[in-house]
């Protein structure tokens, strides 16, 4: 893996996920804490206005605005579309031969009980090595691969040649919790250590294979004829992220109290269970397949 010169730690991509934004603020006040030999770390609050208002976004989801066609479209001028173009100039540009940064870690939180999860969306070697390092130093870290709900990598970190999003939960939107903050901060420090060791050539040999949750599909809530949500995540599944669902297991419970079971033949793991931000997207959870994958 080649050495890095500059990386970026980004928070506040979703303005109501306070943890990343407040961690970036803390680190900005103590720049020594992100200083490592051999590379520079840029700290950035990506959607400061949304953070100030404590909303996910002003007009549309910033974390889906980095599609190359959209970045190049002068007609795309929502608040977040313009912000995406600005970030792309500053940290990218996306796909450039010599982008401003080599790696972006984008800090998110989830209302789901997912612990610390690295969301990988490419087979980029650097991102996988970093995620493997993170897991080796904190066995509770899980790795989830996902192309996003659009099937493309339109995420903030996609403007750099490598990177990933970190999801830490459970935490309500708009809330700071010391335990979630500390878990996120620890992960950031591990990632900085990884790059320092990578540049110095002192990386420990990591396992050749990783346990990975591969996203299979997104599942919507049960709905009535008007399209309104007609059921909730079943209490036996609530907070049980990464649980293996087998045919017949309780999945939803209707408002009238009727249990709707999981009906697929293949057992799959439930992730992002009842994530608050997915209500507007029409998802109740993601289903994933646990596999072992070699490092790229
Ligand atoms: Zn987020």
């Amino acid at each position: 893996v080649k050495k890095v010169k500059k990386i970026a730690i980004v928070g506040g991509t979703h303005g109501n996920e306070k943890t990343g934004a407040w961690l970036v603020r803390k680190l900005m006040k103590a720049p020594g804490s992100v200083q490592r030999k051999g590379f520079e770390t840029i700290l950035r609050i990506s959607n400061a206005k949304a953070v100030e208002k404590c909303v996910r976004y002003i007009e549309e989801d910033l974390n889906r605005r980095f599609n190359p066609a959209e970045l190049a479209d002068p007609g795309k001028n929502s608040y977040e579309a313009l912000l995406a173009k600005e970030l792309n100039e500053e940290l990218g540009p996306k796909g450039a031969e010599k982008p401003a940064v080599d790696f972006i870690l984008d800090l998110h939180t989830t209302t789901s009980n997912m612990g610390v999860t690295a969301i990988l969306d490419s087979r980029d070697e650097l991102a996988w090595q970093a995620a493997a390092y993170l897991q080796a130093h904190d066995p509770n870290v899980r790795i989830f691969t996902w192309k996003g709900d659009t099937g493309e990598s339109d995420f903030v970190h996609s403007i750099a040649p490598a990177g990933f999003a970190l999801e830490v939960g459970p935490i309500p939107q708009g809330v700071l919790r010391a335990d979630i903050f500390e878990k996120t901060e620890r992960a950031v420090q591990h990632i900085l250590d990884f790059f320092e060791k990578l540049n110095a050539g002192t990386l420990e040999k990591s396992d050749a294979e990783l346990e990975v949750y591969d996203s299979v599909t997104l599942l919507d809530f049960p709905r009535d004829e008007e399209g309104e949500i007609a059921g909730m995540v079943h209490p036996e599944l609530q907070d049980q992220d990464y649980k293996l669902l087998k045919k017949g297991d309780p999945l939803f419970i209707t408002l009238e109290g009727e249990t709707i079971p999981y009906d697929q033949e293949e057992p799959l793991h439930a992730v992002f269970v009842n994530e608050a931000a997915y209500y507007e997207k029409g998802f109740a959870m993601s289903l994933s397949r646990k596999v072992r994958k070699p490092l790229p």
Side-chain angles (χ1 to χ4, degrees):
V1 189
K2 76 177 194 347
K3 296 183 176 187
V4 298
K5 289 195 179 76
K6 239 184 221 186
I7 72 157
I9 310 286
V10 174
T13 293
H14 292 133
N16 56 6
E17 296 172 5
K18 280 192 157 71
T19 309
W22 260 256
L23 179 56
V24 166
R25 279 183 181 169
K26 173 188 167 170
L27 299 174
M28 280 172 168
K29 286 182 191 158
S33 60
V34 294
Q35 250 167 41
R36 294 289 193 284
K37 273 189 225 86
F39 66 96
E40 189 190 331
T41 303
I42 293 173
L43 297 165
R44 181 74 153 85
I45 292 177
S46 43
N47 198 341
K49 194 171 170 185
V51 171
E52 188 193 317
K53 291 183 178 294
C54 195
V55 290
R56 187 169 171 85
Y57 48 76
I58 304 299
E59 284 188 67
E60 51 180 346
D61 192 341
L62 175 63
N63 208 27
R64 300 293 184 277
R65 298 277 74 76
F66 297 88
N67 179 283
E70 201 179 304
L71 287 171
D73 181 358
K76 253 317 250 185
N77 53 17
S78 71
Y79 182 77
E80 273 79 13
L82 295 175
L83 193 53
K85 289 171 186 177
E86 195 182 296
L87 285 163
N88 188 44
E89 287 303 311
E90 192 183 320
L91 302 176
K94 183 166 175 164
E97 212 168 293
K98 285 190 176 154
V101 301
D102 302 297
F103 184 94
I104 295 175
L105 179 66
D106 191 25
L107 305 175
H108 290 257
T109 55
T110 170
T111 62
S112 307
N113 189 18
M114 286 171 67
V116 180
T117 304
I119 314 286
L120 279 283
D121 63 335
S122 71
R123 285 298 284 164
D124 179 83
E125 197 182 2
L126 195 56
W128 279 85
Q129 297 269 353
Y133 180 92
L134 186 58
Q135 196 177 52
H137 288 78
D138 182 354
N140 294 320
V141 171
R142 290 190 178 90
I143 296 170
F144 178 68
T145 66
W146 191 41
K147 278 288 187 189
D149 40 49
T150 58
E152 306 258 352
S153 184
D154 300 340
F155 301 123
V156 167
H157 63 258
S158 74
I159 48 185
F164 59 80
L166 198 68
E167 290 281 359
V168 188
I171 184 168
Q173 296 179 334
V175 170
L176 276 170
R177 273 177 59 145
D179 55 346
I180 299 293
F181 186 90
E182 280 165 17
K183 280 180 185 176
T184 309
E185 184 167 27
R186 234 176 296 147
V188 166
Q189 291 298 337
H190 283 315
I191 293 295
L192 294 170
D193 292 343
F194 164 78
F195 285 113
E196 185 173 43
K197 289 180 187 172
L198 172 83
N199 278 1
T202 56
L203 267 183
E204 308 93 350
K205 210 176 140 36
S206 55
D207 289 345
E209 271 194 344
L210 281 179
E211 186 182 275
V212 173
Y213 293 86
D214 260 339
S215 169
V216 174
T217 187
L218 287 152
L219 213 58
D220 192 9
F221 288 98
R223 291 183 186 270
D224 64 18
E225 308 80 56
E226 279 86 48
E228 289 298 337
I229 287 176
M232 301 165 276
V233 167
H234 196 280
E236 281 181 38
L237 178 57
Q238 179 65 50
D239 303 325
Q240 302 299 313
D241 291 75
Y242 292 103
K243 180 186 176 170
L244 182 66
L245 288 171
K246 298 190 203 82
K247 194 174 179 175
D249 283 350
L251 192 60
F252 296 110
I253 186 161
T254 66
L255 304 186
E256 289 71 33
E258 185 200 334
T259 294
I260 301 176
Y262 179 75
D263 62 359
Q264 302 192 26
E265 292 301 328
E266 184 188 1
L268 293 170
H269 296 264
V271 185
F272 283 112
V273 175
N274 209 9
E275 159 58 42
Y278 290 164
Y279 277 75
E280 67 175 30
K281 294 176 191 285
F283 308 134
M285 70 193 74
S286 168
L287 297 176
S288 63
R289 189 178 291 132
K290 186 156 88 174
V291 293
R292 291 198 65 82
K293 267 193 190 171
L295 276 169

